[in-house]
Amino acid sequence: MHDHGTLEEIAQIPPLGAHLTAKRTRDIMLVQQEALAAARDHLRGQGFVELLPPLTGPVTDPGGRGAKQLDVDFYGHRYKLMTSAILYKQASLRGFPKLFYIAPNVRAEPLETAFTGRHLFEFHQIDVEIAGASREEAMRTAGGLLAHVVRHVIDTVPELLRGLGRDAVFFKELLREDFETRTHAEAVEALREVGHDQDAGTEIDWEGETLLSHKFDKPFFITDYPKGSRGFYDMEDPERPGVLRNFDLLGHGGYGELVSGSERRCDYASIVTAIRESGENPAKYGWYLKEARQGLPASAGFGMGLQRLLRYLTGMESLWQVTAYPKLPGVVSA
């Protein structure tokens, strides 16, 4: 794993002016510009419509791994800053059966995530949802999107990658696509074999993801996370109770999760039951459950972390380096 230093050292991130005027930051933002252009072109070419996501709402994705939601006062009503736009994606499918967002998110992650190099307080996702799709279709879409973006960046700004120290050879196997798949159970077994005590009932932890992704020469999928390890909206496999119809796409070379997705629960009764099982009160999800009662389309989708994608493309140590206005958990900054 990379050593990202103490909180005091992390807090020595350059002042905003110095960061924005640094050549490295400019070069990374030019890579970001090409990555976003490629993502939009690719998705629009496949019939997706881009919507602008909400920034606040009466409820948001409940999240996980200790992240806290943040409240805002909406004229006397308690609204949430979006930690993820998943609920809005589902609700939008009747009008837009293939949609995507470039979605800003805010998550008050635990303080220890400041040390991972993979977490920010503010970040963006390329959020995709497909009505009537299976998990496998969403996986193909995610893999194809990643390959297209990488290919475009290599072809259009190779000099920027070289200047940032990223050799295009790193992506040689990725461009052939055909990404391998491991189940969550197989990943847990592989980690335990190398002495990493991964809990079989939870998401693969950050160190585990790093260890696994060093074993591959291109991105790979992990599927079939256990029920309870993800949000209530992830579909449970009807033929394998306790197993979710979901996936992550991990970047090779130690970069960990780039994409997370799933087939979605869409049946009203199933959603209410899953909300209760997660320890949440269904009453707080009133507008979403009203949509579900009227009929949410079956769907599958995913979110691709934009800053994680940029870190992967450029080979940087930490997400703050690939962000114009970096905010790390617990680190006060402009």
Side-chain angles (χ1 to χ4, degrees):
M1 289 179 59
H2 298 304
D3 179 7
H4 300 288
T6 66
L7 192 59
E8 289 75 18
E9 291 168 335
I10 291 171
Q12 300 307 308
I13 292 172
L16 185 58
H19 177 62
L20 288 173
T21 56
K23 182 180 185 301
R24 181 179 71 183
T25 303
R26 175 175 172 78
D27 289 349
I28 292 171
M29 290 303 99
L30 292 174
V31 172
Q32 175 179 272
Q33 180 172 262
E34 293 300 331
L36 284 172
R40 285 187 162 109
D41 181 67
H42 181 73
L43 291 169
R44 289 180 64 184
Q46 294 190 352
F48 287 86
V49 175
E50 181 176 3
L51 301 181
L52 297 178
L55 303 179
T56 63
V59 70
T60 186
D61 175 359
R65 298 200 189 199
K68 295 180 180 179
Q69 299 175 7
L70 297 177
D71 294 338
V72 294
D73 180 2
F74 187 73
Y75 304 96
H77 298 272
R78 181 178 292 179
Y79 270 40
K80 304 290 184 183
L81 292 174
M82 287 296 108
T83 61
S84 162
I86 170 60
L87 305 183
Y88 285 90
K89 284 198 302 180
Q90 280 190 277
S92 302
L93 287 172
R94 285 200 299 266
F96 302 90
K98 296 180 74 173
L99 67 93
F100 74 98
Y101 304 142
I102 308 298
N105 299 146
V106 178
R107 289 186 192 171
E109 303 274 10
L111 289 178
E112 60 266 23
T113 61
F115 305 100
T116 67
R118 295 171 49 196
H119 293 84
L120 291 168
F121 180 78
E122 297 177 353
F123 63 98
H124 292 76
Q125 289 194 109
I126 304 171
D127 243 326
V128 176
E129 200 72 17
I130 314 165
S134 65
R135 173 179 66 182
E136 287 68 30
E137 183 176 348
M139 290 168 67
R140 286 193 297 272
T141 302
L145 175 61
L146 177 62
H148 179 82
V149 169
V150 171
R151 188 176 293 111
H152 175 85
V153 168
I154 289 173
D155 289 346
T156 55
V157 287
E159 73 286 354
L160 293 179
L161 294 183
R162 287 195 296 269
L164 292 164
R166 175 58 96 201
D167 190 333
V169 172
F170 180 77
F171 302 110
K172 179 181 177 181
E173 294 301 318
L174 179 156
L175 296 177
R176 298 176 184 177
E177 299 188 45
D178 190 28
F179 304 137
E180 294 184 42
T181 299
R182 297 287 186 275
T183 66
H184 180 274
E186 290 170 339
V188 169
E189 182 180 359
L191 287 169
R192 289 177 173 175
E193 286 176 354
V194 297
H196 182 75
D197 188 21
Q198 172 64 48
D199 186 340
T202 65
E203 290 189 279
I204 305 299
D205 60 38
W206 303 308
E207 183 179 358
E209 285 186 1
T210 301
L211 290 169
L212 285 172
S213 61
H214 272 303
K215 294 178 175 292
F216 289 77
D217 59 5
K218 61 181 173 181
F220 61 99
F221 288 103
I222 297 179
T223 62
D224 299 347
Y225 282 73
K227 182 180 178 181
S229 66
R230 291 291 177 88
F232 63 77
Y233 39 76
D234 280 10
M235 175 72 78
E236 187 174 2
D237 192 322
E239 298 181 359
R240 294 182 298 163
V243 176
L244 299 174
R245 293 277 298 163
N246 63 358
F247 66 91
D248 282 353
L249 179 59
L250 275 62
H252 71 295
Y255 287 87
E257 178 198 320
L258 301 176
V259 176
S260 186
S262 183
E263 288 181 25
R264 313 301 188 189
R265 293 183 188 272
C266 58
D267 175 72
Y268 172 80
S270 173
I271 292 172
V272 170
T273 298
I275 290 174
R276 288 189 175 124
E277 288 176 347
S278 72
E280 294 267 348
N281 181 1
K284 68 185 281 189
Y285 294 92
W287 77 263
Y288 173 70
L289 290 176
K290 181 179 179 181
E291 294 291 328
R293 198 178 290 114
Q294 293 175 353
L296 293 173
S299 70
F302 60 86
M304 177 182 288
L306 175 60
Q307 284 79 19
R308 290 187 179 187
L309 172 62
L310 276 174
R311 177 176 173 240
Y312 180 67
L313 284 166
T314 60
M316 293 295 107
E317 284 281 306
S318 178
L319 291 190
W320 76 259
Q321 297 169 304
V322 300
T323 310
Y325 311 103
K327 290 183 175 62
L328 281 163
V331 180
V332 178
S333 58

